[in-house]
Amino acid sequence: MRSMASRYAQRRAGKRTYFIDVKATRADDYFLTITESRKKINADGSASFSRHQIYLYKEDFAKVMEGITEMVNFVKEHKPEYFENNNHEE
């Protein structure tokens, strides 16, 4: 029996919202979708959203995580103040 797992996290960061979803294929293989959503105010005052998505597949998890960890550690070393306050506002 397939589990068809699904789980998500949502994080607001200023005018952006990030959605990180774990999804399962019919074969019960997991993959991630990482979505950045930005709210824009149009000239007429109405709001719209732009979205950008990345799909990350199981065979890439380790290498991508390694790269993200390396880059975050670099930023922590050179700009530790970025990690002092989780309430980032633009």
Side-chain angles (χ1 to χ4, degrees), residues 30-32 56-66:
Y30 289 174
F31 67 97
L32 301 178
L56 184 58
Y57 299 98
K58 66 179 182 177
E59 59 269 18
D60 303 324
F61 287 173
K63 288 292 184 182
V64 171
M65 197 60 209
E66 182 181 301

Side-chain angles (χ1 to χ4, degrees), residues 43-54:
D44 65 1
S46 64
S48 64
F49 293 87
S50 65
R51 286 182 2 170
H52 301 285
Q53 270 188 325
I54 295 173

Side-chain angles (χ1 to χ4, degrees), residues 5-84:
S6 181
R7 185 175 175 123
Y8 72 93
Q10 177 181 337
R11 300 292 182 266
R12 294 227 4 108
K15 295 180 181 180
R16 294 177 299 274
T17 303
Y18 294 95
F19 300 91
I20 304 157
D21 300 283
V22 175
K23 297 182 181 181
T25 65
R26 291 183 189 156
D28 205 30
D29 289 330
Y30 289 174
F31 67 97
L32 301 178
T33 59
I34 302 168
T35 306
E36 174 203 38
S37 178
R38 285 193 209 197
K39 184 176 184 179
K40 292 198 260 182
I41 304 299
N42 300 317
D44 65 1
S46 64
S48 64
F49 293 87
S50 65
R51 286 182 2 170
H52 301 285
Q53 270 188 325
I54 295 173
Y55 293 90
L56 184 58
Y57 299 98
K58 66 179 182 177
E59 59 269 18
D60 303 324
F61 287 173
K63 288 292 184 182
V64 171
M65 197 60 209
E66 182 181 301
I68 289 171
T69 300
E70 181 182 335
M71 295 301 106
V72 168
N73 287 339
F74 176 86
V75 173
K76 280 182 179 179
E77 182 180 330
H78 292 87
K79 298 284 186 177
E81 64 272 17
Y82 289 3
F83 296 88
E84 293 172 1

